[in-house]
Amino acid sequence: MGEAKRRAAHNAPPFTLLTEAARSEKLGIDPFPTAFDFIYGMVEAVFTKAGGVNHELIGIDFENGKPTGVNVLLVNNVEDVPRLRARMLERWAMVAHVFEAWAAPDVSVPARAHPDRYDIVAIMLNTSEFMAVANCRVDVAAKTIERAELMIPDDVQGRLGRSIGPRTMVS
């Protein structure tokens, strides 16, 4: 039985690139809250069982604005994330980026050097046009994770408060 599945997967036609019209149809009107609920549930289950999460990119399948499945890719090199995320967005309507990090109550010093730093699991939800993020505070010793508010930026500004305007995907 396993051999037949492998053969079928090997002989499957290559996927077609997702058009923006198809992405929009799959995502629906406001996909971020439902996608966050879906991914947070996965992350919470893994964190409470294992006490941590892997650094991963998750391609999220959508139908009519609702997540229907995932494809998880473990990240080995942080430098590869932008390229991998861009490639995954060619196939999936949304890609989640999940990783553990430090956060701090203020920006007086970088979080890694802040005396009051704390652990978080960052959940970033990306489409081809938008991004939302939630920094979920964790207690590693107790293996607990707090559900954070999902933040969706409505304005992008530069370091000095200047409005940046739309960016192209080309660097």
Side-chain angles (χ1 to χ4, degrees):
M1 181 73 151
E3 180 62 31
K5 285 183 181 179
R6 280 192 295 277
R7 196 174 319 118
H10 179 70
N11 294 328
F15 71 91
T16 56
L17 296 179
L18 189 63
T19 66
E20 287 305 315
R23 180 187 319 280
S24 181
E25 182 179 322
K26 286 178 177 291
L27 289 174
I29 301 296
D30 188 13
F32 287 103
T34 56
F36 179 60
D37 291 344
F38 190 69
I39 297 297
Y40 177 80
M42 290 174 49
V43 168
E44 181 182 38
V46 169
F47 193 90
T48 56
K49 184 175 181 180
V53 296
N54 289 316
H55 190 166
E56 55 196 25
L57 291 168
I58 305 169
I60 307 171
D61 293 314
F62 270 84
E63 288 300 325
N64 300 320
K66 296 193 176 21
T68 59
V70 298
N71 190 318
V72 178
L73 175 68
L74 295 178
V75 174
N76 293 321
N77 297 310
V78 175
E79 306 83 34
D80 294 338
V81 168
R83 179 184 54 80
L84 293 170
R85 182 180 51 232
R87 291 289 310 270
M88 291 177 76
L89 282 169
E90 293 175 352
R91 182 169 185 178
W92 287 279
M94 184 180 288
V95 174
H97 183 192
V98 176
F99 56 96
E100 291 188 44
W102 285 318
D106 60 61
V107 294
S108 59
V109 296
R112 71 181 182 288
H114 201 289
D116 297 324
R117 73 176 181 228
Y118 50 91
D119 295 333
I120 63 165
V121 170
I123 301 174
M124 302 172 80
L125 302 174
N126 302 271
T127 67
S128 58
E129 297 180 313
F130 299 102
M131 187 271 303
V133 65
N135 291 329
C136 303
R137 194 170 186 155
V138 299
D139 182 336
V140 176
K143 292 187 181 178
T144 59
I145 182 169
E146 293 178 21
R147 183 183 179 94
E149 178 183 354
L150 183 64
M151 298 177 288
I152 303 173
D154 57 2
D155 186 30
V156 177
Q157 294 189 350
R159 188 174 56 113
L160 301 175
R162 297 185 302 263
S163 202
I164 292 180
R167 298 275 188 175
T168 63
M169 294 300 283
V170 180
S171 41

